[in-house]
Amino acid sequence: MERTLVMIKPDGVERNLIGKVISIFEENGLRVVALKKTRLSKEQAKAFYIVHKERPFYESLTDYMSSGPIVAMVLEGENAIKKVREIMGATDPKEAKEGTIRKLFGIDKEKNTVHGSDSPESANKEIPFFFSEHELIAVD
Ligand code: IDP
Ligand code: MG
């Protein structure tokens, strides 16, 4: 079993897609072990995306990610990290496969509705960014 950090980004929350997005993950066998709605400050968004600090989209991305509420969750399942990335689809919704969350709901390459950890190392940093150990309720 593996755990990964997922966010529903401000464009998804704003368009009332929380339930639809979580349903897609659940239908694919992933289980929710932690869940919260919150809002990132600009500083928190910059910290979360620090690996992208040299990229041209860093300022815009962190403005956007702090522009409205998000939903953060930890999902668990076999190969959860890779599975979530497949279910989300490519970063740019125009390039995402049919049926993926970003193809279904993404607006553009920035406002692409969901985030998912890209590796075990990322998940190990991103999960504690939002959740303390006692908030992670193991699936039985
Ligand atoms: P990922 O979310 O598919 O892993 P990354 O390359 O890690 O994609 O980029 C992180 C986030 O930064 C993306 O999900 C998207 O919101 C934003 N982003 C990535 N590339 C661009 C771009 O070229 N223009 C605008 N925003 C971008
Ligand atoms: Mg990434």
Side-chain angles (χ1 to χ4, degrees), residues 46 62-63 110 112:
K46 285 171 79 171
T62 52
D63 277 346
E110 179 177 83
N112 56 7

Side-chain angles (χ1 to χ4, degrees), residues 49 51-52 55 85 88 91 102 115-118 122 126:
Y49 282 109
V51 294
H52 294 311
R55 307 286 286 277
R85 299 280 302 183
M88 288 193 327
T91 307
R102 285 167 165 173
H115 167 87
S117 305
D118 64 5
S122 298
E126 292 175 0

Side-chain angles (χ1 to χ4, degrees), residues 78-105:
E78 263 174 52
N79 296 314
I81 294 169
K82 187 159 171 277
K83 195 183 244 184
V84 162
R85 299 280 302 183
E86 285 170 4
I87 297 165
M88 288 193 327
T91 307
D92 187 343
K94 289 201 295 288
E95 288 160 19
K97 288 192 191 137
E98 285 303 322
T100 61
I101 292 171
R102 285 167 165 173
K103 178 71 174 188
L104 284 166
F105 304 125

